[in-house]
Amino acid sequence: MSVWNYVVTAHKPTNVTHSCVGNFTGTQELNLIIAKCTPKPMLDVPIYGRIATLELFRPHGEAQDFLFIATERYKFCVLQWDAENSETMGDVSDRIGRPTDNGQIGIIDPDCRLIGLHLYDGLFKVIPFDNKGQLKEAFNIRLEELQVLDIKFLYGCSKPTIVVLYQDNKDARHVKTYEVALKDKDFVEGPWTQNNLDNGADLLIPVPPPLCGVLIIGEETIVYCSASVFKAIPIRPSITKAYGRVDADGSRYLLGDHAGLLHLLVITHEKEKVTGLKIELLGETSIASTISYLDNAFVYIGSSYGDSQLIKIHLQPDVKGSYVEVLERYVNLGPIVDFCVVDLERQGQGQVVTCSGAYKDGSLRIVRNGIGINEQASVELQGIKGMWSLRSSTDDPHDTFLVVSFISETRILAMNLEDELEETEIEGFCSQVQTLFCHDAVYDQLVQVTSSSVRLVSSTSRELRNEWKAPSGFSVNVATANATQVLLATGGGHLVYLEIGDGTLTEVKHAQLEYDISCLDINPIGENPNYSQLAAVGMWTDISVRIFSLPELNLITKEYLGGEIIPRSVLLCSFEGIPYLLCALGDGHLLNFLLNMSTGELTDRKKVSLGTQPITLRTFSSKNTTHVFAASDRPTVIYSSNKKLLYSNVNLKEVSHMCPFNSAAFPDSLAIAKEGDLTIGTIDDIQKLHIRSIPLGEHARRICHQEQSRTFAICSLKYNQSSTDESETHFIRLLDDQTFEFISTYPLDTFEYGCSILSCSFSDDSNVYYCVGTAYVLPEENEPTKGRILVFIVEDGKLQLIAEKETKGAVYSLNAFNGKLLAAINQKIQLYKWMLRDDGTRELQSESGHHGHILALYVQTRGDFIVVGDLMKSISLLIYKHEEGAIEERARDYNANWMSAVEILDDDIYLGAENNFNLFTVRKNSEGATDEERGRLEVVGEYHLGEFVNRFRHGSLVMRLPDSDVGQIPTVIFGTVNGVIGVIASLPHDQYVFLEKLQANLRKIIKGVGGLSHEQWRSFNNEKKTVDAKNFLDGDLIETFLDLNRTRMDDISKAMGVSVEELCKRVEELTRLH
């Protein structure tokens, strides 16, 4: 049953809605504070609420700024940065009141006498400060103006004064000022008013002293207004979305508009008298939702429709006439309007391809879990058995040689002057045999181990300096070395330890073990980077790993691995200063142990499954940190974060060998041997999710993948911003699924929108088609009265229209259904069958339908069942009856939910998201005693996600290995307006109960910032009711367990009656779901 669900974020929100700049963390530090997204967080704080207002202010006598936050559920808090912590909080919701249409407004008086909030029509809420800067009790003042567009506090007024921009019932726009009389808790008429402004006026910018007054930004004019002055200038038509003040005196402002154009507005003045306004176009940025001028011409542009940016404004324009230079981009996936889950590399790993952004900032984003290798060079080489990189001298920072070993020879590659790899010789090496191991050695030497000998060679003259030969009748099977030591094993369980000097190889110790040796390692992780005091040895027969001391070769620890698979690779390594022993088995399992360097003791054994083939382990470094590369059929990078080991898969098919190759031409690169070739490449950042952006310059709204033609089809629209009229053109576009280039385009009619898209096939027809549902959106109609269903086939990379069917409304949804096509058209569900005409052409023929919805927006099917998400009537369940060829309603949820997405979790449980940012599940009640009971979908789960979900899809971002514990857990991925990609996992009941208890204990220990409650935040909440979350768990909260300090972990472990190790293991497994 999919009743018990675990909700977790795979990609955090990236849509930036608010930002402000000030001295928050210290008097000398300038901070940029951002709501919803943290590009380079000094501190990343989850707030239990959707942020409606974010403002910095500084009460009298304070050296640092305070941060005021109000949430969409009418909670507020004031945060002060403090090494300890201090905060105030409260609730500003009213029992009655109609929430404002234009969103909440929260403002702070410049002299810090009060905070003003406009939350409900006709009311202005005041939270006064006392003279110590503490907040006093709030009160409401009646506001006559019902349609408020903006409210700000004016500067330089003896009493706190607000300026209100409002619209009257004849749609004219005016500005009024009011003084707030704190004693009488009322308004007093203010110093001035201004009537009949630009019809598009919707933003007020209060100007600080000495000028004071206010700027009123319209669509065609900008006005400066104060008690004594009125100045106006015309501008080219634009909708200003955001502004940022440049100077403290407010004489210059940056304005960002809906087309992403950035203007500079200058108030010209003589002393304190305003003489006029000037506006200048600076250039283009992402479409800004917030602009913060940082310092020295650096500006932060926060965006909801594209990537946020850090830009610099130059004094002189570049060749294209732009003054704007983009220095950094902060990826934003929002708004995710649609997405699909595909396995493009065909290796059983889902990638999410999203339709992200809007208007000119529209793009496709390919989101995948794992690390990519960016290929720099490649040569064809078959049968590689091992690889090592060597330097030409001990103190050379770069590698010179790449030694590549084959079954009967060894080749040496080096970079030539043209930065190309070419073959070279190291005369002292034996090149007619396979090399078992190579390493740089002290005193400018190189060491090579073959089956017959160990050779010590000068790295400068490349000549042989010394050789240790294997005893007659024995050959070396496995070997390892570092800069001063060599450890090797010959047949019959002989272990030989040598030390390297200047031109000398000394056999120090020899030990006879009872079984043969399968793998060795002496990677130095102690104090001395060139000498190891421990050796790790993997054994045949008793399947064990042993730790020996060096130079004595005394056995310290023996750990039996269990099972019958031998260790194939062992590695001593250190992550974040903690020593580990990694041990890889021949069947793709990896064990890791904590290693005590002084006693050699192994503890805290953990086992994970990385693949199915033998693994070889190597260390490499990236950005000055050491990581481990596990080469196998599922290559993986092992790294550490917050002192815990993480595994990130590398997006390559099978890799047999890897070694770091840090040459001058290819710094920080890796050499990778895979089927038939040797590749040199750099590695992505070591992190879980990787995002590739395909900018479209237009707004993609629907996407679908077709396996057979290896294409994506999207419905998109382009905004033509010509000066006369803003028109849009809609297209169906075909993209290649590897290059993401447009390969074919089908333009839609004027006013015709693409609403839905599907790849499917029909009964009695082997072809695969793209079906597109459209609507004619005419300006004079409330609801579309006509649309089309278009059926395309991909031939030679082109979209060919095969059939079209006119409909009596918008085709909101299309589903493949029993070899037919199921369409949701306005309030009706319609089923079409695919008919062959006499002349051999095909057409869609209407078969049956079902009325009874307000607007059937979202449809999912399973077998003969149809689940419909309605505009406002929640979820209903229909069934198709084959005998009658009819569709009937079976059950419905009688709650009023305005749906935004639906999905079928299993035969009986359906998942919905609605427009108050909640998730809920309903259950089909087939066992009910009466028709009335069977006709009701029972609500079984409720949860406040705090995100607007646009789409659910079955699938997974991670490799599903059948033998892992999470391999069997079904998951659904969702995408939201804020750019969140999340996962909902349906858990077995016993696991759910366990995690619910863990969540309850975490709630007691982890307190929300600003005293905002986690329990309240996650409670299902809409206009009608607020109820506690049930049958949904907050995975983000549960996974913070891994970041707690040890004492807190112990507290929770005691409360749960489960060891910390077991808790870590169980939560760790959950993190592998995303």
Side-chain angles (χ1 to χ4, degrees):
M1 291 291 276
S2 307
V3 179
W4 305 287
N5 288 296
Y6 177 88
V7 183
V8 65
T9 307
H11 179 265
K12 286 204 167 82
T14 44
N15 161 0
V16 176
T17 50
H18 303 76
S19 65
C20 50
V21 172
N23 309 103
F24 185 59
T25 56
T27 48
Q28 300 306 311
E29 299 169 12
L30 190 69
N31 308 116
L32 169 66
I33 297 175
I34 300 170
K36 263 299 171 237
C37 155
T38 41
K40 296 239 178 336
M42 218 177 94
L43 178 75
D44 180 351
V45 186
I47 298 285
Y48 291 146
R50 288 173 67 90
I51 295 174
T53 303
L54 180 83
E55 291 285 350
L56 284 170
F57 65 98
R58 188 175 304 187
H60 296 294
E62 289 287 342
Q64 276 164 236
D65 295 340
F66 286 28
L67 182 65
F68 172 76
I69 293 176
T71 76
E72 291 188 7
R73 284 166 77 173
Y74 309 120
K75 303 270 185 266
F76 75 91
C77 58
V78 174
L79 305 179
Q80 175 185 3
W81 174 269
D82 182 8
E84 302 309 305
N85 54 2
S86 72
E87 47 205 31
T88 10
M89 54 158 299
D91 186 327
V92 286
S93 61
D94 288 316
R95 282 266 170 272
I96 48 170
R98 177 173 175 273
T100 60
D101 287 339
N102 295 312
Q104 295 181 24
I105 299 173
I107 49 175
I108 300 177
D109 169 47
D111 295 323
C112 284
R113 293 166 288 196
L114 59 112
I115 293 175
L117 295 164
H118 184 249
L119 309 172
Y120 302 100
D121 288 344
L123 290 176
F124 184 73
K125 184 173 289 276
V126 175
I127 313 173
F129 288 98
D130 62 18
N131 47 19
K132 293 193 186 65
Q134 294 296 316
L135 293 175
K136 300 196 296 197
E137 189 165 343
F139 59 85
N140 283 328
I141 305 180
R142 303 254 358 129
L143 188 63
E144 285 167 25
E145 290 71 38
L146 289 177
Q147 267 200 306
V148 171
L149 299 162
D150 200 5
I151 302 184
K152 293 289 194 312
F153 277 106
L154 286 175
Y155 285 89
C157 299
S158 56
K159 296 205 170 77
T161 305
I162 61 168
V163 52
V164 182
L165 171 65
Y166 66 97
Q167 186 168 313
D168 64 20
N169 49 18
K170 299 194 179 66
D171 290 350
R173 296 188 178 190
H174 319 286
V175 164
K176 252 190 187 170
T177 56
Y178 288 112
E179 283 178 6
V180 181
L182 288 172
K183 280 204 176 70
D184 307 337
K185 300 191 175 176
D186 207 353
F187 285 139
V188 180
E189 286 287 320
W192 54 270
T193 60
Q194 182 65 49
N195 287 344
N196 299 324
L197 295 154
D198 176 343
N199 275 345
D202 65 352
L203 179 64
L204 297 174
I205 304 179
V207 180
L211 303 175
C212 301
V214 67
L215 289 164
I216 306 160
I217 312 290
E219 287 178 13
E220 293 172 358
T221 52
I222 292 180
V223 170
Y224 169 82
C225 215
S226 68
S228 55
V229 184
F230 178 90
K231 295 279 180 224
I233 52 162
I235 54 172
R236 49 171 287 260
S238 70
I239 301 165
T240 302
K241 293 279 196 191
Y243 73 92
R245 185 168 86 200
V246 177
D247 310 291
D249 72 355
S251 56
R252 293 184 300 169
Y253 288 88
L254 293 169
L255 303 180
D257 74 6
H258 66 300
L261 297 178
L262 188 67
H263 286 87
L264 181 68
L265 176 65
V266 182
I267 304 177
T268 54
H269 56 100
E270 289 161 10
K271 298 227 168 66
E272 290 165 26
K273 183 169 179 288
V274 172
T275 55
L277 300 171
K278 286 199 310 223
I279 191 158
E280 183 172 3
L281 175 63
L282 297 178
E284 189 183 322
T285 65
S286 293
I287 301 170
S289 52
T290 166
I291 298 175
S292 290
Y293 183 85
L294 303 175
D295 211 351
N296 299 333
F298 289 100
V299 181
Y300 177 77
I301 305 281
S303 178
S304 301
Y305 295 135
D307 290 344
S308 295
Q309 295 169 326
L310 178 66
I311 63 169
K312 185 165 174 114
I313 295 174
H314 293 286
L315 293 169
Q316 299 303 322
D318 63 13
V319 286
K320 293 188 185 140
S322 168
Y323 295 85
V324 172
E325 179 193 2
V326 177
L327 302 176
E328 276 201 62
R329 291 181 158 268
Y330 307 107
V331 167
N332 167 27
L333 296 188
I336 299 174
V337 196
D338 192 10
F339 70 92
C340 58
V341 188
V342 288
D343 176 10
L344 294 180
E345 260 99 65
R346 291 183 156 68
Q347 356 183 342
Q349 178 177 2
Q351 301 183 16
V352 165
V353 182
T354 66
C355 294
S356 287
Y359 309 104
K360 74 169 185 70
D361 291 340
S363 63
L364 297 181
R365 306 287 171 120
I366 301 122
V367 182
R368 57 178 169 71
N369 186 313
I371 296 175
I373 302 285
N374 312 306
E375 196 172 295
Q376 310 278 358
S378 176
V379 286
E380 268 193 43
L381 282 173
Q382 298 284 346
I384 296 176
K385 293 289 174 209
M387 291 193 298
W388 302 269
S389 51
L390 300 173
R391 296 182 203 155
S392 51
S393 72
T394 306
D395 48 10
D396 188 340
H398 291 114
D399 297 325
T400 309
F401 306 108
L402 186 62
V403 178
V404 185
S405 165
F406 301 89
I407 203 125
S408 58
E409 61 166 341
T410 296
R411 292 193 195 170
I412 293 142
L413 305 174
M415 305 302 300
N416 65 15
L417 297 170
E418 280 80 60
D419 289 341
E420 292 164 333
L421 270 185
E422 64 177 22
E423 222 167 303
T424 180
E425 290 286 315
I426 295 180
E427 289 76 10
F429 272 20
C430 180
S431 59
Q432 291 84 35
V433 295
Q434 175 177 350
T435 298
L436 297 176
F437 201 85
C438 270
H439 207 280
D440 296 302
V442 284
Y443 307 114
D444 291 341
Q445 301 177 118
L446 309 172
V447 62
Q448 177 198 26
V449 187
T450 67
S451 62
S452 57
S453 74
V454 178
R455 297 170 77 92
L456 190 63
V457 174
S458 157
S459 63
T460 42
S461 72
R462 303 192 187 183
E463 285 161 7
L464 183 68
R465 297 190 64 187
N466 205 319
E467 183 172 21
W468 174 92
K469 290 195 165 67
S472 64
F474 286 100
S475 65
V476 180
N477 297 342
V478 275
T480 185
N482 58 39
T484 61
Q485 300 162 292
V486 181
L487 186 67
L488 54 88
T490 67
H494 292 279
L495 192 59
V496 182
Y497 170 62
L498 314 174
E499 290 192 350
I500 301 168
D502 192 351
T504 63
L505 274 172
T506 320
E507 182 175 329
V508 177
K509 192 80 184 166
H510 161 254
Q512 166 73 54
L513 307 185
E514 67 271 43
Y515 306 116
D516 266 332
I517 292 158
S518 64
C519 50
L520 299 167
D521 187 59
I522 52 170
N523 181 31
I525 54 173
E527 302 292 301
N528 183 342
N530 290 331
Y531 187 91
S532 176
Q533 299 191 315
L534 298 176
V537 178
M539 303 295 293
W540 285 85
T541 317
D542 71 347
I543 319 279
S544 66
V545 60
R546 305 179 183 194
I547 304 285
F548 288 87
S549 66
L550 295 178
E552 306 86 11
L553 280 188
N554 289 336
L555 176 65
I556 312 179
T557 308
K558 185 190 291 190
E559 174 86 25
Y560 291 105
L561 304 178
E564 37 232 50
I565 312 288
I566 61 155
R568 295 293 286 267
S569 183
V570 284
L571 182 66
L572 298 161
C573 58
S574 159
F575 292 108
E576 296 188 280
I578 301 171
Y580 292 87
L581 172 71
L582 301 183
C583 174
L585 307 184
D587 63 353
H589 277 88
L590 176 78
L591 291 125
N592 67 65
F593 302 90
L594 286 179
L595 170 66
N596 183 322
M597 291 294 289
S598 44
T599 65
E601 190 187 2
L602 297 175
T603 53
D604 213 12
R605 163 177 173 153
K606 293 200 172 92
K607 184 173 179 179
V608 290
S609 159
L610 298 186
T612 57
Q613 298 298 312
I615 297 172
T616 47
L617 301 168
R618 290 293 276 275
T619 57
F620 70 97
S621 66
S622 158
K623 302 209 163 98
N624 301 331
T625 320
T626 300
H627 309 295
V628 171
F629 191 104
S632 78
D633 60 330
R634 290 295 317 166
T636 305
V637 167
I638 304 158
Y639 62 107
S640 175
S641 167
N642 290 329
K643 308 240 154 94
K644 58 180 203 245
L645 291 190
L646 299 173
Y647 305 90
S648 200
N649 40 311
V650 177
N651 294 311
L652 289 174
K653 293 201 172 70
E654 210 153 327
V655 170
S656 49
H657 295 278
M658 184 292 306
C659 81
F661 186 54
N662 179 21
S663 66
F666 299 130
D668 265 348
S669 297
L670 306 180
I672 289 168
K674 51 189 204 297
E675 319 164 73
D677 60 14
L678 165 61
T679 303
I680 292 178
T682 56
I683 194 157
D684 278 348
D685 290 346
I686 307 292
Q687 64 195 43
K688 270 184 90 161
L689 279 189
H690 286 276
I691 296 165
R692 177 176 157 208
S693 299
I694 313 286
L696 298 174
E698 59 187 54
H699 184 171
R701 301 202 34 227
R702 295 287 178 270
I703 184 165
C704 175
H705 183 244
Q706 193 171 81
E707 179 75 28
Q708 292 76 3
S709 59
R710 310 219 57 169
T711 58
F712 287 99
I714 61 172
C715 302
S716 68
L717 67 158
K718 203 173 182 67
Y719 295 84
N720 315 328
Q721 281 171 338
S722 55
S723 48
T724 50
D725 188 33
E726 297 217 343
S727 64
E728 348 174 306
T729 329
H730 291 251
F731 304 100
I732 311 301
R733 294 198 189 268
L734 192 67
L735 293 84
D736 178 291
D737 79 357
Q738 298 298 309
T739 64
F740 286 89
E741 281 160 3
F742 288 162
I743 49 181
S744 176
T745 294
Y746 181 88
L748 294 174
D749 293 345
T750 320
F751 297 125
E752 188 180 20
Y753 281 48
C755 300
S756 50
I757 191 160
L758 167 75
S759 167
C760 70
S761 54
F762 298 107
S763 322
D764 310 322
D765 183 348
S766 57
N767 293 320
V768 181
Y769 298 98
Y770 275 121
C771 301
V772 177
T774 74
Y776 286 88
V777 181
L778 303 171
E780 65 276 8
E781 289 183 349
N782 288 337
E783 275 306 321
T785 56
K786 82 175 230 200
R788 288 193 294 172
I789 297 174
L790 306 170
V791 182
F792 296 96
I793 194 164
V794 179
E795 271 174 2
D796 309 325
K798 295 277 180 288
L799 281 172
Q800 307 286 350
L801 184 65
I802 299 289
E804 65 170 295
K805 181 81 177 172
E806 207 169 285
T807 60
K808 292 195 170 75
V811 184
Y812 289 115
S813 174
L814 289 172
N815 292 74
F817 188 72
N818 293 315
K820 301 173 183 161
L821 183 66
L822 186 74
I825 302 162
N826 285 15
Q827 57 274 26
K828 164 168 202 197
I829 303 289
Q830 186 78 39
L831 186 61
Y832 294 96
K833 55 185 177 205
W834 188 233
M835 300 298 288
L836 189 60
R837 291 202 193 97
D838 297 342
D839 61 0
T841 58
R842 299 204 172 248
E843 63 169 338
L844 287 170
Q845 245 185 31
S846 167
E847 182 183 297
S848 57
H850 178 268
H851 292 268
H853 307 275
I854 308 281
L855 280 184
L857 297 180
Y858 313 100
V859 178
Q860 296 292 343
T861 62
R862 184 169 178 138
D864 293 333
F865 287 105
I866 302 166
V867 173
V868 181
D870 189 84
L871 171 71
M872 50 167 83
K873 280 166 55 174
S874 195
I875 295 179
S876 53
L877 173 67
L878 313 179
I879 185 167
Y880 174 68
K881 299 248 169 114
H882 287 268
E883 305 76 57
E884 296 97 273
I887 298 174
E888 290 175 7
E889 182 178 302
R890 172 59 65 86
R892 67 165 53 240
D893 171 21
Y894 287 94
N895 293 304
N897 285 319
W898 293 65
M899 302 305 293
S900 67
V902 296
E903 188 52 89
I904 297 177
L905 293 181
D906 66 21
D907 288 346
D908 298 333
I909 308 283
Y910 316 126
L911 169 70
E914 50 82 83
N915 71 348
N916 286 297
F917 317 116
N918 300 302
L919 298 178
F920 65 99
T921 48
V922 294
R923 175 165 53 199
K924 172 173 104 199
N925 192 355
S926 35
E927 315 296 282
T930 64
D931 284 351
E932 196 262 342
E933 277 175 39
R934 286 192 294 273
R936 184 182 294 277
L937 291 175
E938 171 198 3
V939 177
V940 288
E942 295 177 294
Y943 182 75
H944 186 76
L945 182 65
E947 289 283 339
F948 191 100
V949 175
N950 275 324
R951 176 76 76 197
F952 294 117
R953 299 259 189 224
H954 285 279
S956 165
L957 275 168
V958 288
M959 274 298 296
R960 282 318 189 63
L961 295 168
D963 55 352
S964 69
D965 295 357
V966 295
Q968 310 306 322
I969 293 178
T971 53
V972 166
I973 300 175
F974 60 82
T976 79
V977 168
N978 281 324
V980 169
I981 293 176
V983 176
I984 300 175
S986 298
L987 302 178
H989 186 241
D990 54 337
Q991 195 175 358
Y992 179 88
V993 172
F994 174 82
L995 292 169
E996 188 172 39
K997 189 172 168 192
L998 178 57
Q999 174 174 280
N1001 282 300
L1002 282 165
R1003 270 180 179 163
K1004 290 180 200 147
I1005 283 189
I1006 300 174
K1007 287 282 170 269
V1009 180
L1012 300 168
S1013 142
H1014 179 265
E1015 217 150 333
Q1016 279 183 349
W1017 162 233
R1018 288 305 183 196
S1019 60
F1020 181 99
N1021 158 275
N1022 61 20
E1023 293 89 5
K1024 300 221 169 40
K1025 63 170 187 180
T1026 299
V1027 291
D1028 283 347
K1030 68 169 184 217
N1031 287 336
F1032 278 100
L1033 294 175
D1034 184 348
D1036 295 339
L1037 177 67
I1038 289 172
E1039 291 176 16
T1040 55
F1041 175 77
L1042 296 171
D1043 304 330
L1044 295 178
N1045 58 32
R1046 193 65 198 214
T1047 43
R1048 286 183 147 192
M1049 280 189 176
D1050 288 335
D1051 294 346
I1052 287 182
S1053 158
K1054 281 196 193 73
M1056 295 283 295
V1058 177
S1059 73
V1060 170
E1061 185 184 332
E1062 175 68 11
L1063 283 172
C1064 285
K1065 176 174 171 278
R1066 293 189 69 165
V1067 178
E1068 179 85 45
E1069 270 169 12
L1070 293 167
T1071 63
R1072 307 274 298 270
L1073 284 170
H1074 58 88

